[in-house]
């Protein structure tokens, strides 16, 4: 039995286990093997591990201080399989980045010198650079706060998360195929798609192509998931994220539908009027409808909506100040694109919240072949 120290931190609407790189290395076990055992990934209920049996609660980040100029913390993000003994390292997670920022201020990975502290982060999976700004009144790292986000009423420490120069973070181009519109083949024939890389690669489709209006409940949206899963594979090939014969990834590209704003009720039953948001969106997370929206997907939507010719630009309400309000199943998530002077793509800002839930010593079953 191995012993591994970790912290469970809620970042936004995800729960993420955070591990120090030194502690992981000290086990002498391959990190994939370690996480699969710790989460009990082979079981779809993850009943004998720390996984939460959903895509938003089966996540981990391995963190270390950085020696790179302009970076405080490097982290590798892991999406751990559920009933699937596989760890996917091909993407980033903004909610887990929110958790990493809070972890960094609590573990002295960044100096606290004023009433706010900004953590400069590098996601080693994708090369994405992010910032997380946290209130540190009187130079103290906070344990609790009053900030909330759509998808949970639980309060947490406010974190202003910034995605720096997000366009082309994985493929090198905001439009990996060079086109704002592509055509993929779904189970019922050709489907228009906008393939975007910002924050994370994303394949976006218009809701009406699936007989939907973009305001469906997760249960109703689930009917489109099989078709979107097929189309995601085609999008991965078109974007150069995979080659024929490669294993199928369920993490990248992100896949979802967009539509014009219309009235709808959140999963909590709250009525959202069409004037309260600018773009309806429903995303797939691994094999199921996302209960809200992943932050990297939100960045991709913000970029797509600002790019003429894309499906998102076609249906989104355009704003003058760079804000984009996304109507998700959990409620409205607001992004803001802030121009930067050096010619890079705009920084995308989102308001999040984080809370430390536990500090723990995990007892991980010894992987087969390793002596006790």
């Amino acid at each position: 039995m191995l012993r591994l120290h970790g912290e469970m931190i809620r970042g936004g609407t995800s729960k993420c286990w955070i591990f120090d790189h030194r502690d992981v290395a000290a086990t002498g076990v391959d990190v994939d093997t370690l996480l699969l055992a710790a989460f009990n990934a082979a079981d779809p209920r993850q009943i004998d591990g720390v996984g939460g049996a959903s895509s938003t609660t089966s996540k981990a980040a391995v963190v270390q201080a950085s020696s790179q100029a302009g970076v405080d913390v490097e982290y590798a993000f892991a999406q751990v399989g559920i009933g699937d003994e596989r760890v996917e390292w091909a993407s980033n997670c903004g909610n887990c980045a929110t958790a990493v920022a809070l972890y960094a201020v609590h573990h002295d990975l960044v100096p606290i010198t004023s009433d706010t502290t900004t953590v400069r982060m590098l996601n080693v999976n994708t090369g994405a650079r992010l910032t997380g700004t946290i209130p540190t009144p009187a130079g103290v790292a906070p344990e609790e706060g009053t900030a909330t986000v759509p998808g949970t009423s639980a309060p947490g420490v406010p974190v202003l998360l910034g995605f720096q120069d997000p366009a082309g973070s994985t493929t090198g181009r905001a439009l990996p195929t060079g086109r704002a519109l592509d055509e993929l083949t779904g189970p019922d024939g050709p489907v228009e798609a906008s393939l975007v890389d910002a924050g994370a690669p994303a394949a976006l489709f218009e809701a009406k192509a699936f007989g939907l209006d973009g305001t469906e409940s997760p249960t109703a949206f689930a009917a489109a998931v099989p078709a979107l899963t097929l189309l995601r594979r085609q999008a991965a090939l078109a974007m150069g994220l995979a080659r024929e014969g490669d294993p199928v990834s369920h993490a990248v590209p992100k896949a979802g539908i967009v539509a014009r704003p219309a009235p709808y009720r959140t999963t909590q039953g709250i009525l959202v009027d069409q004037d309260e948001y600018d773009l309806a969106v429903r995303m797939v997370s691994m094999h199921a409808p996302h209960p809200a929206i992943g932050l990297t997907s939100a960045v991709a939507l913000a970029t797509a909506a600002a790019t003429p010719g894309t499906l998102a630009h076609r249906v989104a309400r355009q704003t003058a100040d760079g804000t984009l309000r996304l109507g998700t199943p959990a409620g409205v998530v607001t992004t803001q694109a802030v121009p930067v002077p050096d010619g890079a793509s705009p920084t995308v800002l989102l308001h999040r919240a984080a809370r430390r839930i536990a500090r723990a010593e995990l007892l991980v079953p010894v992987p087969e072949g390793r002596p006790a």
Side-chain angles (χ1 to χ4, degrees), residues 63-90:
V63 177
Q64 62 181 331
S66 178
S67 59
Q68 290 196 42
V71 179
D72 300 309
V73 175
E74 300 176 11
Y75 71 97
F77 167 68
Q79 183 76 57
V80 183
I82 304 167
D84 179 11
E85 291 194 275
R86 181 169 50 172
V87 181
E88 294 204 359
W89 299 95

Side-chain angles (χ1 to χ4, degrees), residues 99-124:
V100 168
L102 185 62
Y103 180 92
V105 299
H106 278 289
H107 287 264
D108 300 320
L109 296 179
V110 59
I112 298 175
T113 58
S114 67
D115 286 344
T116 60
T117 298
T118 296
V119 184
R120 300 168 299 175
M121 297 174 283
L122 172 67
N123 171 245
V124 299

